[in-house]
Amino acid sequence: MPVPAMPHAVSRLRAARLARAAKPFLARGGPRGERCPGCRLVPSHCLCALRPLLTPQAGVCLLMADIEPLKPSNTGWLIADVVADTWAFGWARTEVDPALLTLLADPQWQPCVVFPGEFVAPERVVTAVESVQGGRRPLFILLDATWPEARKMFRKSPYIDAFPVLSLAPEQLSRYRLRRSTREDHFCTSEVAALCMELAGETHAAQTLEAYLDVYTNHYLQSKHQLPVDLGDEVHQRLETLRLPARA
């Protein structure tokens, strides 16, 4: 198993959440034995060597519900693997991390909240991302939670009320197979980030996030069924092709 990369924002948030836990967190299905600290998978299906870290102009700010950083199937972790400028903050109704407020006030960033426009006042809704040339860099605020939790987070976070709301209208249905939403038009967090990157003109980052999610899903499910990973299959080859420019 390769040495995992330095802990990123979601990894650090997970560690902090575990340190506060009164009892050990057990993922669904009970204890699974040893997991790689870099990718949360069992060592035989480790993903660390395939991590494609990129530096797009756009950044991601994850507001994570309490349990999300602990779930092995959480895909906010994959965003932090790929997008260098990723921040992660635990959400609480009565407390706000001062570092989050500092980030949102940083003049280099133009924050926007990613949320369905049908639940938002029309004057706040936008469907496009302004160019970063000569201006502020897009910072996508993603509410990483179940749908009921995300709606509560959106309503009870006044510090994001001043920002525009980016409403996505994707044509394809979600391909995420690890945890299903009750609505088929809901995307996992990593898929949402990929769609945002595409709107920001970061096509390579968008495609890499999509490919990395497919590879992660493959490793996760193969591990669950105690089957080996085929590093030469279509999903791995697509990710490898996208990683090549990053190596140059």
Side-chain angles (χ1 to χ4, degrees):
M1 183 174 66
V3 177
M6 291 293 292
H8 53 51
V10 181
S11 177
R12 295 192 298 271
L13 183 61
R14 181 180 187 275
R17 179 60 180 81
L18 285 171
R20 298 196 312 271
K23 58 182 180 179
F25 174 80
L26 298 180
R28 183 179 297 177
R32 299 292 186 184
E34 182 185 2
R35 289 183 183 270
C36 170
C39 65
R40 307 157 297 160
L41 297 173
V42 296
S44 59
H45 291 67
C46 177
L47 195 70
C48 290
L50 305 179
R51 179 182 175 184
L53 182 62
L54 303 178
T55 56
Q57 285 294 302
V60 177
C61 175
L62 296 167
L63 293 186
M64 306 186 77
D66 185 55
I67 295 291
E68 284 300 326
L70 304 181
K71 296 177 180 177
S73 56
N74 173 269
T75 66
W77 186 290
L78 304 183
I79 300 169
D81 272 349
V82 175
V83 179
D85 285 324
T86 297
W87 291 264
F89 301 93
W91 185 88
R93 184 178 61 83
T94 57
E95 298 180 41
V96 184
D97 190 328
L100 169 60
L101 299 179
T102 298
L103 172 65
L104 298 180
D106 188 329
Q108 75 170 302
W109 296 106
Q110 174 56 64
C112 65
V113 186
V114 184
F115 202 73
E118 62 192 283
F119 301 101
V120 184
E123 59 270 19
R124 287 187 66 191
V125 176
V126 297
T127 57
V129 178
E130 294 182 2
S131 171
V132 298
Q133 295 182 357
R136 301 163 73 186
R137 299 165 62 190
L139 179 68
F140 300 109
I141 303 172
L142 307 186
L143 308 183
D144 193 2
T146 64
W147 176 235
E149 289 173 328
R151 292 187 68 177
K152 180 176 71 173
M153 291 163 67
F154 184 82
R155 295 195 310 270
K156 298 182 180 295
S157 302
Y159 46 89
I160 63 174
D161 287 349
F163 302 129
V165 175
L166 177 62
S167 181
L168 302 173
E171 299 297 329
Q172 70 273 38
L173 292 176
S174 174
R175 294 173 295 150
Y176 182 52
R177 294 179 284 157
L178 305 184
R179 285 188 282 148
R180 297 304 310 150
S181 169
T182 55
R183 286 180 51 168
E184 288 189 347
D185 59 339
H186 283 183
F187 283 61
C188 75
T189 308
S190 180
E191 289 173 308
V192 171
L195 291 166
C196 291
M197 288 291 167
E198 185 68 40
L199 284 175
E202 300 283 359
T203 301
H204 183 232
Q207 293 175 347
T208 302
L209 279 167
E210 291 174 350
Y212 192 52
L213 173 63
D214 286 343
V215 169
Y216 177 77
T217 302
N218 176 277
H219 282 235
Y220 187 104
L221 294 177
Q222 292 297 97
S223 171
K224 181 178 179 180
H225 298 297
Q226 299 183 341
L227 295 172
V229 168
D230 179 6
L231 295 176
D233 66 12
E234 181 179 352
V235 294
H236 286 86
Q237 289 301 310
R238 179 171 181 246
L239 178 62
E240 181 64 16
T241 299
L242 289 164
R243 290 176 70 225
L244 290 176
R247 294 178 179 178

